[in-house]
Amino acid sequence: MFNKSINKITHLWRISFMANSVRFINSIHHIGLDQWRALSATDNPFLRFEFLAALEDCQCVDSANQQHPNQQDPNQQSAINSGWIPSYALLENQELKEAQKIVAIAPIFQKLHSYGEYVFDWGWADAYQQHGLKYYPKLVWAIPFTPSTGPRIISLGNNQQQLQYHQQIAEGLTAYCQQNDFSGWHCLFPNALARQALSQATDIQKSVQTPASNCMSRTSCQFHWINDSFTDFPHYLEKFTSRKRKSIKKERSRLLESGFSFIKKVANEISPSDIENFYHCYQLTYAKRNMRGYLTLDFFQQLLETMPDQLLLVQASISEDQENNKEQHDRVVANALYFKDSDNLYGRYWGCLEEFDSLHFECCYYQGIEYCIEHDLSHFDPGTQGEHKISRGFEPTICHSQHWIAHPGFSQAIDNFLAEEKLDIQDYATQAAEHLPFRAKIND
């Protein structure tokens, strides 16, 4: 529960809407696990306190606990300098008792660049720079490094109340940007409720000079798998054309014939050494592109301790002869780490020691599909991009984001761009669907 002393260690911006007001706070730990759980009605893994806290604790994003002495400065950067600065939005009802004041919380971050968002606005930033304007800092309403559609607030309100809460938080972001000379705010991969709320926002707060009704919608395309009550993987393949079905069977058989085996581990079956092995593979995969993964080993180890029930690890091993004898042993050469909730599987992180033909497809797609079928999960989000998913039965899925831009001229220009881009995305999704491997449906 909050107490008044918290205001001494948070940057405080309060925007009022009759009984409700928005306050911004610079660490999830100033909210607390108990308060978070008291408001959360979702089992989405990325909106769990444990996930977001691990980002701060393990130096993936900045933390108020690691800031320089002047913590009351909202623009003060921490020693990590990740470019992600927590600014959680708390919607409070001033008419309620102290213990019940907070009615909704949104994950908000100040951003000093556009890395780790997966809704690409580098062109917008370049245009600002060419005109002598600052695009950064901006506000991002999202889960860091996680291009996955999901809820964007925690709240116990009913649907109508949550629509209003989203809109009031949006107005708070708008006012915050205007007061602090931020270029705008961006809500990335919101679920249908959040998208509806932000699309409907109209003149909620007349005192704000540029209301959230100027919020613009953007679309993108990912490829997701839908469970059509399949009983097992062969049943799933019956949906494919004969040629495509044979291709996948051959692709999977080659790996088994080459000595590969696969094991799925969940929760406490996953050991700290398994995570170390996974992380080594994860970083090697980035290193091949002269990059480094955004997330730290400590982050994954902390998740294993705090939310193991929502982890799935797929390990790929290959059988090899040991030196000086003919006995064989299995060596783990690749890992895929997934998250899950009661109805969804989320494929997120992958890595391998060496490149093996089709191994990525097996670990990141086929093993995930099998898990969904075995555990009756209806939906599999394997991550962003990747047209190679189409031939394996992942369907084009339109994703969304909402954007508010402070500069009127750029707002209009971006709005025009988004209208054209939307048509291109729709055409792309339509064409992608034509390449799905499924047999044509026969009308009765």
Side-chain angles (χ1 to χ4, degrees):
M1 188 178 106
F2 277 120
N3 59 56
K4 295 181 181 179
S5 65
I6 287 180
N7 289 344
K8 297 178 182 178
I9 54 175
T10 64
H11 59 83
L12 179 62
W13 293 93
R14 191 181 293 278
I15 296 94
S16 297
F17 310 95
M18 299 178 67
N20 290 352
S21 63
V22 178
R23 180 158 64 112
F24 295 88
I25 193 166
N26 61 8
S27 173
I28 195 170
H29 290 294
H30 298 154
I31 300 170
L33 175 60
D34 291 343
Q35 175 68 78
W36 193 276
R37 285 182 174 174
L39 282 176
S40 181
T42 175
D43 65 349
N44 181 281
F46 311 117
L47 204 54
R48 280 186 62 167
F49 180 94
E50 292 86 347
F51 184 90
L52 294 163
L55 291 172
E56 288 187 34
D57 297 342
C58 303
Q59 301 190 342
C60 303
V61 302
D62 294 82
S63 168
N65 299 327
Q66 296 153 333
Q67 284 185 338
H68 296 297
N70 183 14
Q71 292 184 344
Q72 300 232 6
D73 180 356
N75 295 312
Q76 183 76 331
Q77 297 179 32
S78 80
I80 299 174
N81 195 26
S82 71
W84 290 83
I85 303 174
S87 296
Y88 287 87
L90 281 57
L91 185 66
E92 298 174 315
N93 186 322
Q94 303 306 316
E95 296 179 351
L96 297 178
K97 296 179 180 179
E98 185 70 24
Q100 301 171 329
K101 270 189 175 181
I102 304 173
V103 295
I105 303 174
I108 309 296
F109 294 83
Q110 297 179 31
K111 282 303 302 293
L112 307 180
H113 53 58
S114 293
Y115 289 105
E117 297 175 19
Y118 303 95
V119 175
F120 302 108
D121 61 353
W122 296 105
W124 305 0
D126 290 343
Y128 265 68
Q129 184 176 23
Q130 291 169 11
H131 287 80
L133 300 173
K134 293 191 307 176
Y135 188 67
Y136 307 107
K138 62 179 182 176
L139 292 181
V140 172
W141 184 352
I143 309 299
F145 319 117
T146 308
S148 178
T149 296
R152 288 299 171 259
I153 66 170
I154 57 168
S155 173
L156 297 182
N158 59 38
N159 274 14
Q160 188 57 43
Q161 288 172 320
Q162 290 198 38
L163 287 171
Q164 183 182 45
Y165 295 163
H166 282 90
Q167 292 165 351
Q168 291 180 340
I169 289 170
E171 293 294 348
L173 300 184
T174 298
Y176 188 101
C177 289
Q178 292 172 328
Q179 294 167 7
N180 293 280
D181 196 27
F182 282 23
S183 67
W185 59 262
H186 312 262
C187 184
L188 310 182
F189 302 101
N191 66 1
L193 180 66
R195 190 169 72 252
Q196 178 187 354
L198 298 180
S199 299
Q200 289 179 351
T202 54
D203 299 327
I204 301 164
Q205 178 64 9
K206 296 292 185 180
S207 63
V208 178
Q209 294 179 3
T210 308
S213 55
N214 289 348
C215 180
M216 299 173 288
S217 298
R218 189 178 190 184
T219 57
S220 58
C221 184
Q222 294 181 351
F223 301 96
H224 294 188
W225 182 85
I226 307 300
N227 190 348
D228 191 13
S229 300
F230 301 114
T231 57
D232 53 26
F233 198 88
H235 184 208
Y236 167 57
L237 288 184
E238 290 177 12
K239 188 176 181 179
F240 285 56
T241 64
S242 176
R243 183 172 63 86
K244 295 292 186 180
R245 182 166 58 250
K246 289 177 181 178
S247 176
I248 289 180
K249 286 182 176 180
K250 185 177 180 180
E251 188 173 53
R252 302 193 76 187
S253 296
R254 277 201 305 265
L255 289 170
L256 297 178
E257 292 166 359
S258 298
F260 281 98
S261 59
F262 303 91
I263 184 171
K264 303 181 186 75
K265 294 183 177 182
V266 296
N268 295 329
E269 296 171 354
I270 306 171
S271 70
S273 61
D274 288 332
I275 294 296
E276 289 179 5
N277 184 288
F278 151 75
Y279 190 76
H280 180 57
C281 293
Y282 164 77
Q283 288 293 6
L284 275 179
T285 300
Y286 275 93
K288 293 169 186 173
R289 295 174 284 170
N290 297 316
M291 299 172 63
R292 182 171 180 80
Y294 292 119
L295 304 170
T296 65
L297 174 59
D298 286 345
F299 169 78
F300 293 107
Q301 294 284 25
Q302 182 162 320
L303 294 188
L304 182 61
E305 294 178 7
T306 59
M307 49 183 292
D309 53 309
Q310 293 194 269
L311 300 182
L312 165 67
L313 179 67
V314 172
Q315 294 178 322
S317 301
I318 189 166
S319 182
E320 296 178 333
D321 293 334
Q322 289 186 332
E323 293 182 9
N324 302 323
N325 61 56
K326 295 183 179 180
E327 293 183 5
Q328 291 190 328
H329 77 293
D330 292 337
R331 179 170 67 101
V332 176
V333 295
N335 294 267
L337 185 64
Y338 300 74
F339 290 82
K340 58 191 177 75
D341 59 33
S342 57
D343 202 37
N344 304 277
L345 184 67
Y346 307 91
R348 299 264 66 90
Y349 312 111
W350 147 262
C352 59
L353 298 180
E354 307 168 45
E355 295 293 336
F356 297 94
D357 184 44
S358 301
L359 188 59
H360 173 262
F361 304 143
E362 180 65 41
C363 290
C364 296
Y365 306 143
Y366 302 142
Q367 291 290 317
I369 290 172
E370 282 188 348
Y371 187 87
C372 287
I373 295 173
E374 291 164 3
H375 294 84
D376 198 26
L377 302 182
S378 65
H379 170 245
F380 176 15
D381 164 9
T384 190
Q385 301 176 335
E387 293 180 349
H388 51 270
K389 299 182 180 113
I390 300 172
S391 64
R392 291 158 178 90
F394 289 81
E395 303 179 33
T397 302
I398 298 298
C399 300
H400 301 267
S401 56
Q402 306 290 138
H403 306 264
W404 181 86
I405 301 295
H407 191 287
F410 272 99
S411 180
Q412 184 60 57
I414 289 172
D415 196 29
N416 294 339
F417 164 77
L418 294 181
E420 295 181 6
E421 183 188 53
K422 182 177 181 179
L423 296 176
D424 291 339
I425 294 295
Q426 290 173 337
D427 288 344
Y428 173 78
T430 299
Q431 293 178 30
E434 293 173 354
H435 290 85
L436 284 167
F438 306 140
R439 292 182 284 112
K441 293 183 178 179
I442 300 176
N443 297 324
D444 294 333

